[in-house]
């Protein structure tokens, strides 16, 4: 478990790393949001990161959102859902998050739409794209992403903001980069095909080990866990 001081130092170092990657890429650091991936991180450690300036956190289990909810009450921090969303958790997740980054089917979009209608509520969504081609990964294949985004955009309770992908694990830069490039290509294709009427500008990509590459390839949101909270113990 990391101390308060370590977490503060890690958040500062991470911001410097993001700034450096943006400078290197000729981009404005204000165009890259930082989301802290807080799976398995206790709520009191998350609160320290919020004190250090974090404004966006992501969980990938609905149960963890529920467990940490009370302890995060009163903090100025938005939460996103970044894991695979099972259909029986749809009702529950909407209580906690402003964005679901892992929508990858019409079936899931329809379940969300129905529930949101009942609640008279909207939610932001990102469409998860499987850019690495690994069979184990969720997400729609890149060649089907544009059609799915356009279909989801017809559901009035879902505000499509962009795309999310998870890079190849433990890969070299040469293997990681094409995944991130392909997410950007999908975004550009959607913009061209819809004449900009569907705005899918957000590119949620890049984690502790590879966020520099993701920023070079156009990431607008990096999702970082280990670099701030230390290694997770599975
Ligand atoms: C855990 C997780 C991250 C962060 O990974 P780190 O390597 O710890 O930075 C990012 N995205 C998703 C979807 C995750 O589950």
């Amino acid at each position: 478990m990391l101390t308060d001081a370590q977490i503060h130092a890690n958040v500062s170092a991470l911001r410097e790393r993001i700034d450096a990657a943006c400078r290197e890429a000729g981009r404005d650091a204000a165009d890259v949001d930082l989301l802290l991936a807080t799976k398995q991180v206790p709520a009191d450690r998350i609160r320290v990161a919020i004190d250090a300036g974090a404004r966006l956190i992501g969980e990938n289990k609905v149960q963890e959102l529920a467990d940490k909810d009370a302890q995060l009450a009163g903090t100025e921090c938005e939460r996103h859902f970044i894991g695979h969303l099972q259909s029986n958790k749809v009702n529950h997740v909407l209580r906690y998050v402003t964005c679901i980054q892992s929508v990858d089917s019409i079936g899931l979009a329809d379940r969300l739409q129905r529930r949101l209608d009942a609640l008279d509520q909207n939610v932001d969504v990102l469409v998860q794209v499987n850019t690495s081609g690994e069979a184990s990964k969720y997400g729609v294949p890149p060649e089907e992403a544009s059609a799915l985004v356009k279909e989801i955009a017809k559901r009035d309770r879902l505000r499509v903001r962009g795309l999310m992908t998870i890079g190849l694990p433990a890969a070299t830069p040469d293997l990681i980069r094409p995944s991130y490039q392909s997410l950007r290509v999908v975004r550009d294709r959607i913009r061209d095909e819809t004449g900009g009427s569907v705005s899918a500008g957000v590119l949620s990509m890049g984690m502790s080990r590879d966020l520099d590459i993701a920023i070079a390839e156009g990431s607008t949101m990096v999702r970082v866990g280990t670099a701030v909270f230390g290694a997770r113990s599975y």
Side-chain angles (χ1 to χ4, degrees):
M1 200 69 69
L2 299 193
T3 64
D4 293 15
Q6 284 170 320
I7 291 174
H8 276 268
N10 287 348
V11 170
S12 303
L14 178 59
R15 291 212 184 278
E16 278 170 30
R17 189 175 156 201
I18 292 170
D19 286 352
C22 286
R23 269 198 308 279
E24 183 77 18
R27 301 185 54 203
D28 186 342
D31 295 336
V32 180
D33 288 326
L34 169 59
L35 173 143
L36 295 186
T38 52
K39 55 176 174 282
Q40 298 181 26
V41 177
D44 75 300
R45 297 298 83 197
I46 299 173
R47 286 195 74 114
V48 175
I50 294 170
D51 287 342
R55 287 294 167 266
L56 198 51
I57 67 177
E59 289 283 355
N60 57 0
K61 291 214 166 72
V62 178
Q63 189 59 51
E64 284 199 56
L65 282 166
D67 290 345
K68 300 173 195 175
D69 187 53
Q71 270 184 279
L72 295 178
T75 59
E76 270 182 57
C77 196
E78 232 181 275
R79 284 169 291 177
H80 288 191
F81 191 75
I82 61 174
H84 176 62
L85 184 56
Q86 293 166 292
S87 47
N88 62 342
K89 298 286 167 61
V90 162
N91 288 1
H92 213 47
V93 73
L94 292 167
R95 211 174 292 174
Y96 306 110
V97 300
T98 56
C99 179
I100 296 171
Q101 297 204 0
S102 49
V103 177
D104 63 357
S105 72
I106 286 296
L108 179 55
D110 281 339
R111 273 188 292 277
L112 285 164
Q113 168 76 21
R114 276 196 299 276
R115 180 62 185 164
L116 287 159
D117 256 337
L119 295 168
D120 190 22
Q121 202 181 306
N122 299 321
V123 77
D124 289 345
V125 302
L126 304 183
V127 168
Q128 183 174 353
V129 183
N130 180 349
T131 54
S132 66
E134 293 167 281
S136 61
K137 288 255 171 78
Y138 292 103
V140 66
E143 57 278 12
E144 294 168 26
S146 176
L148 181 60
V149 164
K150 284 185 264 183
E151 194 54 38
I152 291 175
K154 295 178 189 160
R155 277 124 185 107
D156 64 343
R157 299 288 182 175
L158 305 181
R159 295 174 301 217
V160 184
R161 300 299 193 197
L163 308 168
M164 183 272 256
T165 198
I166 299 174
L168 277 172
T172 63
D174 285 356
L175 294 172
I176 292 168
R177 196 178 295 277
S179 282
Y180 291 159
Q181 278 169 344
S182 86
L183 200 69
R184 193 186 59 207
V185 167
V186 170
R187 181 198 57 192
D188 294 348
R189 190 189 308 149
I190 293 165
R191 192 183 47 210
D192 294 347
E193 285 178 7
T194 64
S197 69
V198 175
S199 123
V202 173
L203 292 181
S204 171
M205 59 187 195
M207 326 210 290
S208 294
R209 64 169 181 271
D210 60 17
L211 64 91
D212 325 80
I213 299 171
I215 287 172
E217 296 304 332
S219 172
T220 70
M221 185 186 296
V222 293
R223 307 180 309 268
V224 180
T226 312
V228 168
F229 298 109
R232 290 175 292 271
S233 48
Y234 285 107

